[in-house]
Amino acid sequence: MSALLDIRDLRLGFKGLRGITEVLHGIDLAIAAGERVALVGESGSGKSVTARIILGLLQEARAARVSGAVEFDGRDISTMPARQRAKLRGTEMSMIFQDPTSSLNPTFTIGRQFAEVMRRRQPEMSREACDRRASEMLAEVSIPDPARVLSAYPFQLSGGMNQRVMIAMALVNHPKLLLADEPGTALDVSVQALTLRLMHDLVERHGTAVLFISHNLGVVREFADRVYVIYRGRIVEEGPTRALFDNPGHAYTRALMSAVPRITGAGLPEVPEVSDDFLAPMVRHTGGAA
Amino acid sequence: MSLLSVESLSKTFQTPSGPVHALRDVSLSVERGECLAVVGESGSGKTTLANMILGILAATSGTIRFDGRELPVRRGPEHRRAIQLVQQNPLSSLNPKRSIGASVRLGLDTYGIGARSERWARVEAALEEVGLPGEMRRRGPSGLSGGQRQRVGIARALACDPELLVLDEPTSALDVLVQARVLRLLNELRAEKRLTYVFITHDLAVVRNVADRVAVFKSGELVETGETARIFTAPEHPYTRSLIGAVPVVDEDELQLRNTLAGEQ
């Protein structure tokens, strides 16, 4: 199978005063074109650093030791010169962050920031053409008055509005892969639910593949086709969303699932914070998609 | 008699762009030993309410009674001791330059609780109550995990021998496995010590598993209040239903319940 993103035996260590701290211990992860894949884990599990390696950002950090293959669209990102990697960002792959308001530049209007993004792909694009295209994208994320939003500064818009702007901006260059790191976690639940639905529809329409990084199992269940569960730098379980949620096979995944409070009021079971079972070999679900 | 009762409480902030009604004519009560969840999104007024209960903010109008007596904004040490806060972010609520023990002890010294010579023992007992080793009091907060820090935050409140805890999103910053354990701890402590909780959160799934009653706030108004079991079987206000409809769910039973509750208009 030729995947859009194919990560094999990815290892990461950070050099510190007391030697190298291993953060990722050999991760295998693949995403097909147009597929929505979630990487779910707790803080410190290595999910965000994985996204930063895919973007080619950590390779540039002095203290980071990255090894293994990260193939994107047939090219290995880890061996690519830094300038080529930089060219991919914002064009072939883009990213959405947790807090939309602080990831937009407060000193430029939304329209100007859109133009900057679009000119990464087409440097000659006129501002009028950029505004036209940006308006179309804003309409796609159900923003009723694109012209007003384009002339606004991020701090003049609500968090939910900024989140939609971020989604539109991330997709305006038709990237093949969208990395979404805890999108909307900083927003109210109802706004988060709405923006996730918008994002889901939009990537489906555009055929964009997504790596969705989250600690929230409920959100993952609603968004992703397939799920990887990561624990302390190792993938412990992988499978189609439905199969994995209905029948979690790994002790860590089972612990996570039972620890999530339910609106049905199932109570709060005694769940260990750490356990040797969490280091058991990886569980893979084959087939059985919903 | 209710331990805490709030009567026609309002708070208006004067801003350059006009008055902001953060809380409008809110009345509610909390019985001794009860856990009342205060639910709402940002701007709903839930933190404003908490700040007035704690005496951090003065009400524009209305009264707050504690154990039958009206609570003034400027409070004596007895009321300040009896009503304690557990904050959301355990990282920023502990002084990085103090030992854990010194942070926990601060309340004891401020309110003059116990004899001076007994206070370290009280600090250690409070740490042990939340499942931390007593000798941890000598350490600084920097080496602690998020769950341990939140336990210290709870121990700090408990050391003052409070009657009412105002818990402001106490587990929102925690990982799910840690959250489950901290929530269990809070449930156990409430039962053991007959504590009363005002539990502020936006997470309805947490509410379902910790609260006896729920008060739903929207834009400064109390839109619905009722027993937890009733709210999650027959929510009345459309806003409550929409909040339940937005909860991310992890299993089929939850999905069914959510769709049923959110769908009935």
Side-chain angles (χ1 to χ4, degrees), chain A residues 42-43 188-190 217-219 221-222 242 245 255-256 259 261-273, chain B residues 41-42 175-181 183-184 187 205-206 208-209 232 246-254 257-258:
Chain A
E42 297 184 289
S43 48
D188 277 331
V189 274
S190 58
L217 289 165
V219 166
R221 187 184 193 268
E222 267 160 56
R242 202 45 202 276
F245 273 81
L256 273 188
R262 309 288 212 268
I263 55 166
T264 43
L268 301 160
E270 173 84 61
V271 180
E273 244 171 77
Chain B
E41 300 191 292
S42 44
D175 278 324
V176 62
L177 291 179
V178 182
Q179 165 175 274
R181 295 178 71 83
L183 290 175
R184 276 178 68 97
N187 278 348
V206 167
R208 180 69 183 92
N209 294 284
F232 286 90
V247 175
V249 297
V250 295
D251 64 35
E252 285 302 304
D253 293 348
E254 266 197 301
L257 176 67
R258 185 186 74 180

Side-chain angles (χ1 to χ4, degrees), chain B residues 195-221:
Chain B
L195 290 167
T196 306
Y197 290 171
V198 172
F199 198 111
I200 297 168
T201 183
H202 68 279
D203 191 332
L204 285 169
V206 167
V207 167
R208 180 69 183 92
N209 294 284
V210 300
D212 301 312
R213 275 191 311 129
V214 185
V216 183
F217 282 78
K218 186 193 180 203
S219 314
E221 286 177 59

Side-chain angles (χ1 to χ4, degrees), chain B:
Chain B
M1 189 196 348
S2 306
L3 180 67
L4 181 80
S5 71
V6 167
E7 289 146 29
S8 325
L9 198 66
S10 295
K11 178 72 193 178
T12 305
F13 292 103
Q14 300 299 335
T15 70
S17 45
V20 173
H21 301 284
L23 213 61
R24 290 181 214 230
D25 195 24
V26 167
S27 299
L28 53 83
S29 61
V30 192
E31 305 307 311
R32 192 178 284 277
E34 191 182 34
C35 175
L36 175 78
V38 172
V39 175
E41 300 191 292
S42 44
S44 63
K46 54 191 200 300
T47 303
T48 304
L49 173 67
N51 286 342
M52 289 194 281
I53 295 172
L54 289 160
I56 296 169
L57 274 180
T60 307
S61 63
T63 53
I64 304 173
R65 277 174 213 285
F66 185 77
D67 214 5
R69 282 190 296 160
E70 189 172 333
L71 274 181
V73 181
R74 289 183 64 89
R75 296 190 187 160
E78 186 47 36
H79 278 141
R80 281 189 280 142
R81 178 198 62 76
I83 305 176
Q84 289 290 325
L85 168 70
V86 176
Q87 283 165 288
Q88 172 177 12
N89 192 343
L91 195 91
S92 57
S93 51
L94 291 172
N95 187 333
K97 295 198 171 171
R98 274 176 190 274
S99 71
I100 289 163
S103 284
V104 175
R105 185 177 158 138
L106 194 61
L108 302 182
D109 292 336
T110 311
Y111 307 125
I113 298 169
R116 207 169 267 255
S117 57
E118 290 167 11
R119 286 186 192 150
W120 284 124
R122 285 187 83 116
V123 167
E124 291 187 5
L127 288 173
E128 277 158 19
E129 268 178 334
V130 299
L132 297 173
E135 62 264 28
M136 199 179 246
R137 73 171 172 87
R138 294 176 208 281
R139 290 173 51 185
S142 61
L144 301 185
S145 68
Q148 286 172 325
R149 278 172 218 249
Q150 192 53 288
R151 282 170 196 265
V152 173
I154 297 165
R156 192 204 53 73
L158 288 181
C160 301
D161 200 15
E163 291 172 67
L164 174 73
L165 288 190
V166 176
L167 301 135
D168 190 0
E169 303 273 8
T171 62
S172 305
L174 302 177
D175 278 324
V176 62
L177 291 179
V178 182
Q179 165 175 274
R181 295 178 71 83
V182 172
L183 290 175
R184 276 178 68 97
L185 172 72
L186 287 171
N187 278 348
E188 285 160 14
L189 288 170
R190 177 162 70 100
E192 268 167 37
K193 302 175 149 294
R194 232 176 147 239
L195 290 167
T196 306
Y197 290 171
V198 172
F199 198 111
I200 297 168
T201 183
H202 68 279
D203 191 332
L204 285 169
V206 167
V207 167
R208 180 69 183 92
N209 294 284
V210 300
D212 301 312
R213 275 191 311 129
V214 185
V216 183
F217 282 78
K218 186 193 180 203
S219 314
E221 286 177 59
L222 179 60
V223 297
E224 180 163 5
T225 175
E227 302 281 326
T228 307
R230 201 273 297 162
I231 295 280
F232 286 90
T233 47
E236 280 165 13
H237 198 280
Y239 181 68
T240 311
R241 284 202 290 265
S242 79
L243 277 185
I244 295 177
V247 175
V249 297
V250 295
D251 64 35
E252 285 302 304
D253 293 348
E254 266 197 301
L255 183 67
Q256 252 183 28
L257 176 67
R258 185 186 74 180
N259 291 348
T260 321
L261 297 184
E264 287 170 0
Q265 289 301 326

Side-chain angles (χ1 to χ4, degrees), chain A residues 204-227:
Chain A
E204 197 158 53
R205 244 187 346 262
H206 289 244
T208 319
V210 182
L211 179 63
F212 187 88
I213 292 168
S214 181
H215 70 282
N216 188 323
L217 289 165
V219 166
V220 162
R221 187 184 193 268
E222 267 160 56
F223 188 83
D225 306 321
R226 204 154 57 82
V227 179

